[in-house]
Amino acid sequence: MLTTAIIIQLTVALTILNVWLFRRDKPTNYRGATAKTLREEFRTYGFPDWVYFTVGPLKVLTAILMIAAIWKPLLLLPSTLCMAGMMLTALICHLRIRQDSLSKALPAGTIFLLCSVILTISLIN
């Protein structure tokens, strides 16, 4: 069961690192409304730029801590709770944009669900 949790941890962390370090300025089918970059997407949701510049480093740091939690288990609960909270917020933001299809909320919803699975597994063990 712990191997499964580690695989999910790595999946979540590496996905977030990919989005925020390599794909933040690239368009995808999952950006809110007509946004082409993550920064434009935050503006679409009505957030000021400082939120974008805060959330980005926080997500990257949290993803790194989720990886570090493989060797330092005390980091798992706080990092996964933080990531789950950010992904729940992202999911809500996607759902608030009425003209968007539900598929645009799929990545945020999936990462939130995976964080929930990690937390469940870690609390059982």
Side-chain angles (χ1 to χ4, degrees):
M1 191 73 118
L2 290 177
T3 302
T4 303
I6 290 171
I7 291 169
I8 297 170
Q9 272 174 257
L10 286 171
T11 301
V12 168
L14 294 174
T15 298
I16 295 300
L17 291 173
N18 179 47
V19 168
W20 279 92
L21 297 178
F22 304 111
R23 300 194 49 82
R24 73 174 174 260
D25 293 325
K26 294 182 171 80
T28 75
N29 293 331
Y30 301 106
R31 301 245 186 263
T34 59
K36 301 285 186 234
T37 67
L38 272 173
R39 191 171 182 181
E40 287 177 23
E41 189 172 14
F42 273 67
R43 288 179 181 151
T44 296
Y45 300 136
F47 293 118
D49 281 346
W50 70 263
V51 174
Y52 168 79
F53 288 113
T54 302
V55 170
L58 184 58
K59 278 194 177 181
V60 169
L61 175 63
T62 303
I64 291 168
L65 290 174
M66 287 181 77
I67 294 169
I70 295 169
W71 297 278
K72 299 287 184 187
L74 286 175
L75 297 172
L76 183 62
L77 186 62
S79 63
T80 306
L81 281 171
C82 184
M83 186 66 75
M86 289 187 286
M87 297 317 296
L88 180 59
T89 303
L91 178 61
I92 292 166
C93 288
H94 277 286
L95 296 176
R96 286 183 52 215
I97 298 180
R98 301 273 186 229
Q99 73 266 23
D100 279 355
S101 66
L102 285 177
S103 66
K104 290 195 176 197
L106 191 60
T110 301
I111 297 294
F112 174 72
L113 180 64
L114 291 174
C115 287
S116 299
V117 170
I118 294 167
L119 290 168
T120 302
I121 291 171
S122 68
L123 292 174
I124 289 172
N125 291 319

